[in-house]
Amino acid sequence: ISASQDGSINLWSQKKKKAVFKLRDAHASWIGGLDCIKQSNIFASGDCKGVVKVWAIGQELKSFEKMQEVQAKGIVTDLKIN
């Protein structure tokens, strides 16, 4: 998974070494933090406006489902999920 300054999130294939799915406008501003829960389909992203979103990767690896959204104080520049 990777994120971009344009607010998009990409899901990459290790076998194909290219993005297999791109969610445009996942955030309204640049994404500064991204982390995932190992051995799961859950990840979180945070942007420069303080919006943190938790996502689930779809079973077909062609979609992201937003599970939760919260407003943090300040700019999100890093995320860590334990």
Side-chain angles (χ1 to χ4, degrees):
I1 297 173
S2 67
S4 178
Q5 289 183 337
D6 68 1
S8 64
I9 300 174
N10 295 291
L11 179 62
W12 294 83
S13 167
Q14 290 182 355
K15 292 179 184 179
K16 296 180 181 181
K17 298 188 182 196
K18 66 177 187 174
V20 294
F21 176 71
K22 180 175 187 170
L23 178 60
R24 298 183 193 280
D25 301 321
H27 284 264
S29 59
W30 62 266
I31 298 170
L34 186 70
D35 199 14
C36 61
I37 298 175
K38 293 180 182 179
Q39 305 294 322
S40 80
N41 67 331
I42 307 297
F43 69 95
S45 57
D47 67 28
C48 71
K49 293 184 177 179
V51 177
V52 176
K53 297 179 181 183
V54 179
W55 306 87
I57 300 170
Q59 290 182 349
E60 299 295 320
L61 305 178
K62 296 193 187 262
S63 66
F64 300 140
E65 177 187 342
K66 184 170 62 172
M67 300 173 64
Q68 188 170 7
E69 181 176 328
V70 295
Q71 182 67 47
K73 290 184 179 181
I75 298 171
V76 177
T77 59
D78 193 22
L79 283 175
K80 294 293 178 202
I81 300 174
N82 292 325

